[in-house]
Amino acid sequence: MNVVVIGVGNEYRRDDGIGPAVATEIAGRDLPGVRAVVADGEPSALLEAWSGADLAVVVDAVMCEPATPGRIWPSIVDGRADALRGGGGGAASSHALGIPEALLLGQALGRVPRRLVVLAVEAADLDLGTGLSEPVTAVFPEVVAAVLDYIGTS
């Protein structure tokens, strides 16, 4: 199976670095059939990363109102971009455009993975700087374990 783990974010914006940190961790495990990439969240980068994949697991930071930093929101997307738009809660990616827009564009171009899983991690701090906040650091092992579960290597 052709699997890609995509860490979306910017390691220089505190908790926005959760995606890149998870991608780096997965890449370091050198798992057969699994590649890990870091993307900035723009639709074209996501399309490039997940094109041709049987399974894409995307990890991204989100800001929510009300916030519970460190909470993980898993979504298995069945081809519906609206599955990624939070209900009445008010979750928003830290990027101007993001995964829902990439999915819509990918559908129009025929460039979507067979299965897409998104793990959104609630951020506490997206200010400039390095290092994850305490609540996001605390769930890092859980996020990595979830990725491994989805790709079937746990």
Side-chain angles (χ1 to χ4, degrees):
M1 182 158 69
N2 179 12
V3 176
V4 62
V5 175
I6 305 169
V8 175
N10 180 341
E11 65 184 314
Y12 298 106
R13 289 194 49 221
R14 304 277 306 176
D15 289 342
D16 198 38
I18 185 71
V22 169
T24 299
E25 175 69 22
I26 297 299
R29 293 172 183 243
D30 200 27
L31 302 168
V34 178
R35 66 187 170 90
V37 299
V38 174
D40 62 7
E42 293 304 312
S44 61
L46 292 169
L47 285 177
E48 183 65 30
W50 72 36
S51 284
D54 296 312
L55 169 64
V57 180
V58 180
V59 179
D60 193 10
V62 294
M63 292 299 287
C64 295
E65 288 292 329
T68 305
R71 183 168 37 181
I72 303 166
W73 293 90
S75 297
I76 298 174
V77 180
D78 60 3
R80 294 182 0 213
D82 64 327
L84 296 173
R85 299 186 194 283
S93 173
S94 61
H95 317 287
L97 296 175
I99 302 163
E101 292 80 11
L103 183 57
L104 289 170
L105 181 59
Q107 288 169 332
L109 298 174
R111 293 180 63 188
V112 294
R114 281 195 5 209
R115 184 171 186 223
L116 173 62
V117 174
V118 177
L119 295 171
V121 181
E122 284 192 43
D125 183 358
L126 295 176
D127 290 336
L128 293 176
T130 58
L132 303 174
S133 68
E134 190 173 309
V136 173
T137 297
V139 298
F140 179 80
E142 186 179 341
V143 176
V144 171
V147 170
L148 294 172
D149 283 346
Y150 282 113
I151 63 178
T153 62
S154 59

